[in-house]
Amino acid sequence: NLLLQPCSAGPGPCRLIQYPVAPCKGRITVTKEDLACLDAGEFLNDVIIDFYLKYLLLEGVGGSVAERSHIFSSFFYKQLSRRDRHTRHQRVKTWTRHVDIFTKDFLFVPVNQDWNKGIKPPGAARTDLSSSPHIQRRHFSIKAALEHLISARTCQLAARDVFLYLWTVFIFLFFIFIFCIICSLSSFLPWLCNTVIVCRPCLLVMDSLKLSYHDNVLSLFSYLQVEWEVRRKSPRLFTSDTMKSFNCRVPQQDNSSDCGLYLLQYVESFLQNPVVHFDIPLRLESWFPRQRARQKRDEIRSLIMSLHQSQLKEEEPKPSPSR
């Protein structure tokens, strides 16, 4: 029942490919109806998204980065985010029975939500600290300060006044010395931070519509906490304090139908060159040109048809050897 059937056979959906091929587990069936969502202006369905994500992990990118990564199905978050929070992990606990996600460096969770609710991107007021009158650069002039001290009429001072004067000079030079040490450390610390790699879990949100992601993060925190307890048999707290989340500045779509394309391009670009060193905010606006995401419709269609032709050849009956 796993043989590919011709498009003209039977009233059911026309099966184009199954990926990956047997005996691999987790095969995804792509039909001719699924292929129609690759037309311009159409929304990518979950089958196409899951197929391409699996292809990226198995063949498209490959290498050590793919081995260190795990990509959840696009259905994963839909099950996770249903209303009953108490059974949240119970609904998806079998989805990772063959993999320990905590041995991976990168986890990808596709989120496909209903945007037809009049949700507007939240406006965030930003303060430019460099223009604040309370934060200014102060330049210290050692020469001017010393000239001010020396200008006193030291020759007419009593012995006690001379002592106080010298003590003042000593304190002044001491603070100048401390100031020089701080300046040296400030120039050394960036080099140290770029040299020493501190591994800590974080959550990077990449959204092509700049919508709110607070609820998504809370759902994932809850899942990771229970999953850790089930896998490691020990408690661990996953909160915004122990695992920082950042909304990345990524390329944005200019229409309402390319959400899936940008999702796939985010994953592909990350797998090709993982972001491991970054300053907040993470600026990836020039990660890829907008045309690159638009081309994915034709790329995925060509890929599916190429796999379709190769799988058809494999299913053709081989001629029996002549005696």
Side-chain angles (χ1 to χ4, degrees), residues 27 34 58-59 85 126 143 152 163 168 174 180 186 193 208 253-254 261 289 293 306:
R27 292 189 293 276
D34 296 322
L58 298 180
E59 300 183 55
R85 294 180 298 175
R126 301 184 181 274
K143 180 179 178 181
F163 174 78
T168 303
F174 175 79
C180 293
S186 63
C193 295
S208 61
Q253 64 189 82
D254 59 350
L261 300 177
S306 176

Side-chain angles (χ1 to χ4, degrees), residues 159-227:
R160 187 182 66 176
D161 295 331
V162 172
F163 174 78
L164 292 176
Y165 172 77
L166 294 177
W167 177 253
T168 303
V169 173
F170 171 77
I171 294 296
F172 178 79
L173 294 177
F174 175 79
F175 279 106
I176 292 297
F177 175 72
I178 296 298
F179 176 75
C180 293
I181 292 179
I182 294 176
C183 291
S184 299
L185 288 177
S186 63
S187 61
F188 173 75
L189 285 178
W191 175 85
L192 180 63
C193 295
N194 292 331
T195 304
V196 180
I197 300 177
V198 180
C199 297
R200 62 183 61 182
C202 66
L203 196 153
L204 303 181
V205 180
M206 301 181 183
D207 185 3
S208 61
L209 288 173
K210 289 185 178 180
L211 297 174
S212 176
Y213 64 95
H214 179 69
D215 294 338
N216 305 347
V217 171
L218 295 181
S219 300
L220 293 176
F221 283 161
S222 174
Y223 166 77
L224 290 173
Q225 185 164 318
V226 179
E227 181 72 8

Side-chain angles (χ1 to χ4, degrees), residues 49-50 53 57 70-77 92 95-96 99 101 106-110 220 223-224 227:
I49 290 177
D50 284 348
L53 290 176
L57 207 59
H70 177 73
I71 300 180
F72 288 92
S73 167
S74 60
F75 295 98
F76 172 80
Y77 186 79
V92 295
W95 293 44
T96 55
V99 59
I101 62 174
F106 309 112
L107 302 179
F108 297 86
V109 182
L220 293 176
Y223 166 77
L224 290 173
E227 181 72 8

Side-chain angles (χ1 to χ4, degrees), residues 127-143:
T127 303
D128 186 4
L129 296 180
S130 62
S131 62
S132 174
H134 303 289
I135 302 177
Q136 300 176 353
R137 295 184 178 179
R138 297 187 178 182
H139 302 276
F140 294 86
S141 175
I142 300 177
K143 180 179 178 181

